[in-house]
Amino acid sequence: MKFFMILKDSFREAVDGFVIYVMVILSTLLIVLVGCIGYEPVEAQLAFDSMLRSSRFVNSDRGRSAFRAFPMFGVSFKIQDLQKLNDASQPQEGDYKMRLVIADSTLGMQPPDAKEKKTDKTDSQFYQAVAFWNHTPDGNSMSLPDANAVSDAIVFDFLKDMFETHGNVNVSEVTRLPDEGRNNYVFQITTKGRKGVRGWLHRPNLFFGAIEVPIEFSLGRMVYFLQDQLVNGLGAWISLLVAVIFTAFFIPNMMRKGAVDLLLSKPIHRVSLLIFKYLGGLMFVFLNTAYAVGGVWLVMGLRSGVWSPGFLLIIFGITFYFAILYAVSTLFGVLTRNAIVAILVTMAFWFTMYIVGQIYGVLDVLRHEAGIKDRIPKWVYSTVDVANAVLPRTKDLDKLTTKLVADGTLAEGDKRQMKLDNLTWPSWFEVLGVSCAHIAIMLGLACWRFATRDH
């Protein structure tokens, strides 16, 4: 009972002020803003046209490479004779058959008497792109694969991948039709409908349909952006920044002459008193985060129909992230009794973790890129690996919370297009273990100094 009474006093101090009301107001505005956004599925013709317009670059290694891209600026795609093959009520559930006309303007640049050159696929940017897509890098990043080696089967695989990656559309059959002229390739495409709406292209509108935004993205990608970038990204950073500044005053205020004498006169151990102050700050962040994330999850599910349970878990992720920062703030609050110093040191530590995490994330992707990874000295990998190993895994925590959101919102094609399908995800056990060890060390030092200090 004494534990809960002291914890209640610590939490009451945390919410005693205007900051908590400001945070609640900002969270409410975020919830209302997200709730004002609606999503309308686009018709099939527009959906197919839009997804093909977005496929202007291709990546090597059958799309798996994150750094090797080939432009198709001389190639255009056009859908003709679109037919719906079933009676599905929703466009994403429909089976469709269409003619895909691929116009290659690079062939049109040839002399009029060079008709036989169409058999030389190296003159076609489309076939060059397909060859590049099918090519697995062998260490020489400047070499280009032979376009003449591209068969119809490889072209069919390329077209299937293009529809899947850029539109989350399942292509069941591809047939080559007679070419139309010297610079046009024609294919018949048959697609199979899918259950669920998150992979189909939608058009957003604002303020309950008052303003229509003339862009098309998959529903899952829009929900992912709002949940991961707006809430788990920008919103979380603002919340953490405010929390670090606000809670940094708790420990120095407690240690002021008179205040600390009154607290130490109570029948409670000094270590317990400090831990309860620490938990009071965590409760401040947890409840505000739960309100914001829970509210966004509810209104977004009602408006979009996409319910992502993993999104709710970022409540604990953001709170744990703050626990890492607050442990540093608590230690330096005890050591210096100065809130400004605690804030500056915590910010510097936060910035260091961010820089190390960003560099480690880039190098982690480069490790899987043949021909690029060997250009970076091994000592760079070793140094960054050591720094990442000893520091709290805040970047890995960001990646894991991003994965929670992505798994609940993105279709497989969106994951491939955003290069999330080929990432090496860290272990929850390792991330939480290293970070908890850091918290334990920081709080242990703070408790030792607070217990042995002559107040």
Side-chain angles (χ1 to χ4, degrees), residues 56-218:
R56 309 309 303 162
F57 291 88
V58 297
N59 295 88
S60 64
D61 197 15
R62 293 210 158 202
R64 288 184 288 268
S65 174
F67 289 92
R68 300 169 184 271
F70 185 91
M72 289 197 297
F73 295 142
V75 180
S76 62
F77 303 90
K78 187 175 181 179
I79 297 295
Q80 296 179 347
D81 302 331
L82 180 65
Q83 304 174 39
K84 190 175 181 181
L85 305 179
N86 61 358
D87 57 353
S89 59
Q90 299 297 324
Q92 71 274 4
E93 298 177 359
D95 300 336
Y96 299 96
K97 184 170 70 173
M98 69 204 79
R99 293 172 70 249
L100 173 63
V101 180
I102 302 175
D104 192 336
S105 62
T106 56
L107 291 174
M109 298 177 184
Q110 299 177 20
D113 59 348
K115 295 182 179 180
E116 69 279 0
K117 282 194 175 183
K118 189 169 183 180
T119 60
D120 186 357
K121 298 174 182 177
T122 57
D123 293 327
S124 166
Q125 192 179 51
F126 171 68
Y127 272 95
Q128 291 174 9
V130 175
F132 185 85
W133 171 83
N134 189 58
H135 175 64
T136 300
D138 56 3
N140 185 0
S141 61
M142 300 304 295
S143 64
L144 291 177
D146 183 12
N148 286 313
V150 175
S151 64
D152 278 353
I154 295 176
V155 173
F156 295 166
D157 289 343
F158 171 79
L159 294 177
K160 290 179 181 179
D161 181 77
M162 184 173 65
F163 275 79
E164 176 67 41
T165 300
H166 296 279
N168 300 291
V169 174
N170 181 26
V171 176
S172 57
E173 184 179 358
V174 179
T175 305
R176 184 75 180 261
L177 300 178
D179 296 344
E180 296 180 350
R182 186 160 50 89
N183 63 334
N184 283 353
Y185 307 104
V186 185
F187 301 87
Q188 180 173 284
I189 308 290
T190 304
T191 67
K192 188 71 175 176
R194 287 179 169 174
K195 297 291 183 180
V197 296
R198 63 180 182 173
W200 190 258
L201 295 186
H202 283 61
R203 177 169 287 179
N205 57 74
L206 305 178
F207 306 111
F208 302 99
I211 301 176
E212 186 175 280
V213 183
I215 57 175
E216 298 87 28
F217 287 103
S218 70

